[in-house]
Amino acid sequence: MKYLKKVIQTNNDWAGLITRLTIGGVLFPHGAQKMLGMFGGYGFTGTMDFFTQQINLPWIVALSIIVIEFVGGIAMIMGFASRVWALAIASLFVGIIFTSHLEHGFFMNWFGTQKGEGYEYALLIIGLSVAIFVNGSGKFSIDNIIIKK
């Protein structure tokens, strides 16, 4: 219980709330594409097939990507176990940079002139995740409710 308290301990500040809502608000739609097929996505089966058969990722890595983006996005919005999810999200995006974006440089492909996307978006997600990892969920979070009890 002592360690659980340290994990969910949070500053009761607006910055944590804004940061986690930003991460959750951006990450959830990507996760919903992969898990549910919303927003033009392929859904769970289509995404798993793409990751495992076309990109040749191990099934556990493919599943982890889907879960981190979908469940992690929801957990961030709710402020539940935000430090744990922030660490998972930051780790995921470090992997994404090194496997998919590093070769395309820093900038996103705003004008369609590159063969792929740069890593600037991933760096933003990592930075926001590190802020949540350091400071916690902030105001109006489930973590805050749990810690008060």
Side-chain angles (χ1 to χ4, degrees):
M1 189 66 171
K2 176 181 162 184
Y3 296 109
L4 177 63
K5 255 186 148 172
K6 284 187 177 190
V7 169
I8 62 173
Q9 184 70 38
T10 183
N11 294 335
N12 191 22
D13 62 0
W14 288 100
L17 170 69
I18 294 165
T19 304
R20 74 178 163 79
L21 288 179
T22 301
I23 296 171
V26 169
L27 204 57
F28 172 75
H30 289 276
Q33 285 179 316
K34 292 172 179 71
M35 180 71 84
L36 306 174
M38 294 173 65
F39 309 109
Y42 297 113
F44 182 79
T45 304
T47 303
M48 284 295 289
D49 288 345
F50 174 74
F51 282 155
T52 58
Q53 294 174 15
Q54 293 184 27
I55 299 181
N56 295 318
L57 293 174
W59 72 268
I60 192 72
V61 173
L63 179 63
S64 296
I65 293 167
I66 295 169
V67 169
I68 290 169
E69 288 190 13
F70 183 69
V71 179
I74 293 170
M76 280 295 190
I77 291 167
M78 295 171 49
F80 177 69
S82 296
R83 281 194 165 102
V84 173
W85 287 108
L87 183 60
I89 292 165
S91 300
L92 170 64
F93 277 86
V94 167
I96 289 170
I97 286 173
F98 284 106
T99 60
S100 302
H101 298 292
L102 196 61
E103 65 187 279
H104 304 294
F106 178 76
F107 294 102
M108 292 178 61
N109 193 10
W110 291 106
F111 304 108
T113 57
Q114 300 170 192
K115 291 187 179 189
E117 296 289 342
Y119 54 88
E120 67 178 319
Y121 164 79
L123 281 179
L124 288 171
I125 295 295
I126 292 167
L128 291 171
S129 296
V130 169
I132 289 294
F133 184 77
V134 170
N135 292 316
S137 300
K139 286 188 173 295
F140 309 117
S141 65
I142 291 176
D143 289 349
N144 228 346
I145 294 168
I146 292 170
I147 204 70
K148 286 180 181 176
K149 292 183 179 186

